Amino acid sequence: LLPLWAKPGVFMNGGLVLGPEGKELERHALGHLHLTVGGATVGSDAVAAGPDVVTAMVRFFEEARNAPLVERLGLLFFTPTHLLTVASVAANTAEYCRDQRVPLTTLSRDEVLDKREEMLLLLVLFPTHEAGGGAPLDYETVLRPWQERIKEAMEAAGILQCRTTAQDAPPGVGQGLKLTLQSAPWPEIDVNVAGVDKGTALARFLEAPSVKDYLGIDRESKVQPAKHVAVFGDAANDVPMFEAIGGERPGLRVAMPHATDASLNALANERGEVSEVLQRLSAARRAGAVRP
């Protein structure tokens, strides 16, 4: 993985937020989420006394791995430094990591579960082709309904009924799971702690005093996303920051050329590669224009 500690930013869909010099501002581990007992709904009165979410997910996929619904699916766990999987639930993980040009580490079940409090993002990876290397699978007619069925199965298993045991979680964070169904860069379901996404994490990031110092903004001033923020995205997990940052829509919302998510493209007001948009912005600034 890239040396995240070198630059401030929002990583893993907001699961990790770093300030200047790599100082950790937020970390939202899936291992801090525990299932509520007795099927209690998520809320202030629910008791998080069941297994943690990472253990529950591994158990769910292992126990059902021969069922048609899950037999071709894999689990990929993100920590700040590694991408991890377990051999029993590793379908599609090697192909995904090869496609993204990142290393994959396969550990034993116990070794992975020992790292559950380091896991900030989980991907449920779907196949891209029919079994045996057949024809490509269509997202809208095959993969998206499959993702919806997996979501329903997780709900039926009680995995979505969970809450955080972390004492320092920000308001609105940790009451369940956030699932993002994606077609790109791979057909997958992104699993994060509920209340964590790129929009909410970026809003808190821009309010951090150390970040304001880094950006040369007075600590008493407020960043205005409509005037000061540009966002770039190519997938469904980018939609939250296109919609709002601290209740305000960013002024520049750039969908990259390969973006196919309908919601993202509808929210965008520019389209292009990062480099070409930045070049247009630089040229516009030199010319005294606000927008390219």
Side-chain angles (χ1 to χ4, degrees), residues 262-277:
S263 296
L264 184 84
N265 285 323
L267 288 163
N269 57 5
E270 294 284 352
R271 193 171 184 88
E273 296 288 357
V274 175
S275 59
E276 64 185 47
V277 173

Side-chain angles (χ1 to χ4, degrees), residues 30-93:
L30 290 164
H32 288 159
L33 291 174
H34 285 253
L35 275 58
T36 55
V37 295
T41 57
V42 175
S44 59
D45 297 328
V47 179
D52 68 89
V53 161
V54 176
T55 300
M57 286 289 287
V58 171
R59 181 184 300 164
F60 172 76
F61 278 83
E62 284 185 334
E63 291 178 352
R65 65 178 176 267
N66 294 321
L69 183 65
V70 303
E71 65 179 346
R72 297 187 63 203
L73 307 186
L75 300 181
L76 186 63
F77 302 93
F78 283 59
T79 76
T81 55
H82 293 87
L83 301 185
L84 307 175
T85 192
V86 182
S88 58
V89 291
N92 310 307
T93 57

Side-chain angles (χ1 to χ4, degrees), residues 236-289:
N237 59 2
D238 296 312
V239 168
M241 66 177 178
F242 275 54
E243 290 178 324
I245 297 173
E248 188 174 324
R249 187 158 291 178
L252 181 58
R253 306 175 300 280
V254 184
M256 299 175 72
H258 56 276
T260 59
D261 185 82
S263 296
L264 184 84
N265 285 323
L267 288 163
N269 57 5
E270 294 284 352
R271 193 171 184 88
E273 296 288 357
V274 175
S275 59
E276 64 185 47
V277 173
L278 292 179
Q279 287 172 355
R280 295 206 311 266
L281 283 170
S282 296
R285 185 171 184 177
R286 288 194 298 270

Side-chain angles (χ1 to χ4, degrees), residues 57-175:
M57 286 289 287
V58 171
R59 181 184 300 164
F60 172 76
F61 278 83
E62 284 185 334
E63 291 178 352
R65 65 178 176 267
N66 294 321
L69 183 65
V70 303
E71 65 179 346
R72 297 187 63 203
L73 307 186
L75 300 181
L76 186 63
F77 302 93
F78 283 59
T79 76
T81 55
H82 293 87
L83 301 185
L84 307 175
T85 192
V86 182
S88 58
V89 291
N92 310 307
T93 57
E95 295 84 350
Y96 173 92
C97 289
R98 186 164 53 248
D99 182 72
Q100 298 298 305
R101 292 179 286 183
V102 292
L104 172 66
T105 301
T106 302
L107 300 177
S108 71
R109 185 182 194 274
D110 289 344
E111 287 173 327
V112 164
L113 295 183
D114 282 345
K115 297 181 180 294
R116 56 187 173 270
E117 293 190 0
E118 301 176 37
M119 295 174 181
L120 311 179
L121 170 65
L122 163 63
L123 303 188
V124 181
L125 296 174
F126 290 70
T128 58
H129 290 72
E130 293 178 354
L137 295 173
D138 181 71
Y139 181 73
E140 292 300 332
T141 61
V142 178
L143 290 166
R144 176 78 185 204
W146 193 352
Q147 291 174 336
E148 294 286 0
R149 292 196 299 274
I150 288 295
K151 182 178 177 180
E152 291 169 2
M154 290 171 60
E155 174 73 38
I159 295 173
L160 304 189
Q161 301 298 333
C162 57
R163 63 176 297 176
T164 185
T165 56
Q167 300 300 311
D168 57 349
V173 170
Q175 302 298 312

Side-chain angles (χ1 to χ4, degrees), residues 215-227:
L215 296 174
I217 299 171
D218 185 270
R219 289 193 176 191
E220 300 304 315
S221 299
K222 184 175 177 61
V223 175
Q224 300 176 53
K227 294 176 62 177

